[in-house]
Amino acid sequence: MKINLRMALSAAFLLVSTQVLATSYKIPLAHESLIGQVQYSYAGSGDTSTKVAQRYDIGYNALKKANPHLNVERMFPTGASLTLPTQHLLPNQAREGIVINLPEMRMYYYLPKENQVLTYPIGIGKIGKNIPIEKTSITKKTKDPVWVPPEDIRDFNLETNGIVLPQVMPPGPDNPLGPYAIYMKIPTYLIHSTIFPESIGKRASFGCVRMYESDIKQFFPIVEGGIPVAIINSPVKVGWQNNRLYMEAYAPLEEHNAAYNASIPGMVNIISGAAKNQDTLVDWQAVSYIAQERDGVPHDIGIKIAS
């Protein structure tokens, strides 16, 4: 049965209660990049980083960097102020299909023929276990998948936790893939739900891309085989909005810590490229601050000078 995209999305959004599902944003004009707004709130009684992150559909890493005054490993004090990093610059590598930015730990999905983009926080691979940085595509999707643990995961669990994993794990509450799995052309690497929601926004998997179950429940019906996937490594994003230049920075992946695009000269090059053919006044002091803080929030760093 063919699913009507608008009906599927509308139904998904009506399910929102305390859980904020991914918002659908109108794709900005080709020369602009900013979506969403930073939000501010207060912690409620019993709030933890996992509860707040799921409520506002952000990851652990994003919540931690945006709220350095809070100990995200403990229950938040009731009434504590919260900065919610729900504003983003679209990656400039592609504006079609699925774009997975590993340092950001966030995924973007450009809805076919809809001029809309959805964005979701994700969990990614541990150091040395990351998904390959390349272009691929979706091949199939499975509800209630069976999990066949790869040998490296079986060895890790045995050596680290003394757990002997079964050769095949059927669907159920203990299956780490959760109820939804989406497969790509890259063998053994999946986009899937997780029974560990606290791992979203962390380097926790063996390479697979993890999503909150509430997010993938929305995402699963509207993604199909053949959709392109770009897996990218962009710790620094720069883009325009209303003649103002913005910059958003993240800590680089540990195995790419020395990458040029994560360095100060690399940032200058990215900014210069974005300002090419534009008369732009750049606040280089702000750039230096963002390079140090890398708080994952878009900051205004320049303005186009009227000619």
Side-chain angles (χ1 to χ4, degrees), residues 29 31-34 239-246 300 302-304:
L29 298 173
H31 62 282
E32 298 191 331
S33 303
L34 198 64
W240 288 92
Q241 192 72 23
N242 297 328
N243 292 324
R244 303 198 75 91
L245 187 61
Y246 290 82
D300 185 342
I303 185 170
K304 181 180 178 182

Side-chain angles (χ1 to χ4, degrees), residues 39-53 55-56 63 67 69-72 74-84:
Q39 301 179 65
Y40 301 92
S41 187
Y42 298 95
S45 177
D47 267 349
T48 63
S49 58
T50 300
K51 287 182 179 179
V52 171
R55 186 182 305 146
Y56 293 99
L63 185 64
N67 296 275
H69 61 291
L70 293 176
N71 183 347
V72 292
R74 303 180 63 180
M75 188 177 295
F76 294 159
T78 302
S81 62
L82 297 171
T83 299
L84 305 165

